[in-house]
Structure formats: structure tokens, C-alpha cells
């Protein structure tokens, strides 16, 4: 279920990995810790080729800003209980460096002065891959 567009910042908790669907569409994913004191984990999915360079350069512990569509899913565990999983389908991913700098892809500059890869509409997400094809 899609909730709303959201913007979150956090620390990369799990190293990004890239997998392919049956239709050979690349899907990159990583886990982001958005909590300050306690762990609050959010899975970030990127189905956009324009974000591949940024996602592949991320390592555990990097600070990032993610803008996209927040989604929830209920998953049945082995013991029969249900667990809620929160995901964000990313439209924009920026690395936030030390001293307020941000990097999107190859270079870095002061936050807000660089060109950001951003998609204004979600028309690409539904055409490229269906919800049931996500390999994670």
C-alpha cells in the first residue's frame, strides 16, 4: 500500500545490493536507519537507472537523503505472526557529506547548488516493474 511521498535522512545500515527481475530490470536496494537513538529501519528500493551510480557508491555508515514514495507491506513470519515492513521507492538519492556537503553521483558541492536527478511523476515505476516482480 502506497502511503505518501516522503523525504527521509539516515545512515546506510546495510550495504546496497543489485538484483534483476525476470524481465531483466535492475533493482537496487539498501537498508536505511532513520532513527537517532533507536534503530528504525527502512528499505530503500531504486528501479531507476539514473540512480545506479549513486547507489553503487554507497557504503555502510554513509549519510543519505532519500525522496520517494513510502509504502508498507505486511509479511507473515514463520511462526504465523505478521510483521510490517516499510519501504521507500526512491526518486532521488543524495549522499550527505561532512560539513553539509552533498554528492549526487560523481561530484560534490554545497547542498542545494547541484543538479539532482529527480523524476516529477511516477510514470516510470509502474511501466518498468510490477510489485510482484521485486526480488527482495
Amino acid at each position: 500500500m502506497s502511503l505518501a511521498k516522503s523525504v527521509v535522512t539516515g545512515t546506510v545500515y546495510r550495504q546496497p545490493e543489485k538484483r534483476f527481475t525476470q524481465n531483466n530490470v535492475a533493482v537496487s536496494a539498501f537498508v536505511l536507519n532513520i532513527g537517532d537513538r533507536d534503530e528504525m529501519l527502512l528499505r530503500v528500493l531504486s528501479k531507476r537507472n539514473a540512480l545506479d551510480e549513486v547507489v553503487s557508491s554507497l557504503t555502510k555508515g554513509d549519510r543519505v537523503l532519500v525522496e520517494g514514495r513510502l509504502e508498507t507491506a505486511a509479511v507473515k513470519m514463520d511462526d504465523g505472526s505478521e510483521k510490517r515492513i516499510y519501504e521507500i521507492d526512491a526518486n532521488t538519492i543524495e549522499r550527505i557529506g561532512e560539513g553539509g556537503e552533498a554528492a549526487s553521483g560523481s561530484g560534490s558541492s554545497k547542498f542545494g547548488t547541484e543538479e539532482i536527478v529527480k523524476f516529477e511523476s511516477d510514470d516510470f515505476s509502474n511501466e518498468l516493474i510490477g510489485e510482484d516482480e521485486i526480488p527482495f
Side-chain angles (χ1 to χ4, degrees):
M1 172 170 80
S2 179
L3 294 177
K5 291 204 178 241
S6 61
V7 178
V8 296
T9 59
T11 305
V12 176
Y13 183 80
R14 190 176 306 147
Q15 194 77 12
E17 58 182 61
K18 187 178 198 176
R19 295 187 186 177
F20 294 87
T21 65
Q22 294 173 348
N23 296 335
N24 205 27
V25 175
V27 178
S28 299
F30 62 95
V31 176
L32 189 65
N33 181 8
I34 60 172
D36 289 333
R37 295 187 182 129
D38 297 328
E39 289 181 350
M40 292 179 59
L41 303 180
L42 174 74
R43 187 182 335 181
V44 178
L45 297 173
S46 170
K47 300 174 236 175
R48 295 168 176 50
N49 292 331
L51 299 177
D52 276 351
E53 187 176 333
V54 175
V55 173
S56 64
S57 70
L58 295 176
T59 57
K60 186 175 180 177
D62 285 347
R63 297 272 307 153
V64 293
L65 179 138
V66 178
E67 181 272 325
R69 190 176 67 228
L70 183 64
E71 300 176 352
T72 64
V75 177
K76 277 207 173 193
M77 305 304 285
D78 292 336
D79 62 0
S81 64
E82 283 194 3
K83 179 181 179 183
R84 284 248 175 238
I85 295 179
Y86 297 93
E87 297 177 341
I88 189 166
D89 182 9
N91 291 329
T92 305
I93 300 173
E94 292 184 59
R95 178 180 289 141
I96 303 172
E98 296 176 11
E101 291 185 354
S104 177
S106 55
S108 66
S109 61
K110 287 292 182 189
F111 186 79
T113 61
E114 66 185 327
E115 186 172 331
I116 299 171
V117 177
K118 184 171 181 161
F119 295 91
E120 290 300 324
S121 66
D122 293 327
D123 54 351
F124 294 118
S125 63
N126 293 331
E127 292 175 4
L128 293 177
I129 184 171
E131 290 291 325
D132 55 334
E133 292 185 8
I134 297 175
F136 301 100

